[in-house]
Amino acid sequence: MSNWTNPKVSPDEFNMPEKMSPSLIKTLNETRDWIDKPMTFTRSASGVVFHPHGDAVGPWSDSHAKGSLHKYDCHHDRTAELDSVVVANGSGSLAQDWDCGIDNLEELFDMFLFLERLNTWNGIGVYPHWNRPGFHTDIRSNNHPYAKARWFRLQDGTYHQLTWHNWKSKVMLQ
Ligand SMILES: [Zn+2]
């Protein structure tokens, strides 16, 4: 557990901390420092579940899309290129879902902009309709076919590119 020697995030907050990429843990710590707000991850230390699908999952998990960045033991660039799971044993998960207690849609968008300034997450998804509205953040590589992806998901499960026009018309004006 050497990745957790100086934790701001704690392994208690995740289901499978040992399957997370060290870079993911580091970037979550940087994010916690940057936003300076309490962040809630998969679960609390006492076991309250906040983001049930927010954690690392196995390469064949059917609770996540084929190319989900939450998968460990997965070669993400190749998986996305081929649209078929390519196993890479020993590689950690690259994504984590979380919130920081924001339930206002304007503030949520502002927090997205604030995260952009940190300039470390390669993929960012905004989820305004979660019970605790928040973010998917991942550290996919720049060789990933969908590098720098930015999106949000609506209540009906559809995904949309995160542009101001889309956010305004599909989220703010609904
Ligand atoms: Zn996610």
Side-chain angles (χ1 to χ4, degrees), residues 3 7 10 22 27 38-39 41 43 74 76 80 88 96 98 100 108 117 121 133 137 145-147 150 152 161 164 167:
N3 304 321
S10 154
T27 309
M39 289 167 76
F41 302 103
R43 61 196 291 274
C74 182
H76 286 289
Q96 180 63 43
W98 53 274
C100 55
L108 199 63
R117 267 177 262 164
W121 295 110
T137 50
Y146 308 111
R150 299 291 184 270
F152 63 88
Q161 195 183 359
W164 173 238
W167 183 262

Side-chain angles (χ1 to χ4, degrees), residues 105 109 126 128-129 151-174:
L105 296 173
F109 193 86
V126 188
H129 299 296
W151 72 91
F152 63 88
R153 192 178 70 187
L154 295 180
Q155 198 133 35
D156 65 8
T158 57
Y159 290 82
H160 302 270
Q161 195 183 359
L162 183 49
T163 63
W164 173 238
H165 173 83
N166 281 349
W167 183 262
K168 187 173 60 174
S169 61
K170 296 176 189 299
V171 179
M172 299 299 296
L173 300 179
Q174 296 305 306

Side-chain angles (χ1 to χ4, degrees), residues 53-55 64 68 70 95-97 127 130 135-137 151:
H53 302 296
D55 213 275
H64 285 66
S68 169
H70 290 276
Q96 180 63 43
D97 300 344
Y127 290 76
W130 278 345
F135 302 93
H136 160 109
T137 50
W151 72 91

Side-chain angles (χ1 to χ4, degrees), residues 51-67:
H51 297 286
H53 302 296
D55 213 275
V57 295
W60 308 111
S61 164
D62 54 15
S63 63
H64 285 66
K66 207 180 292 176

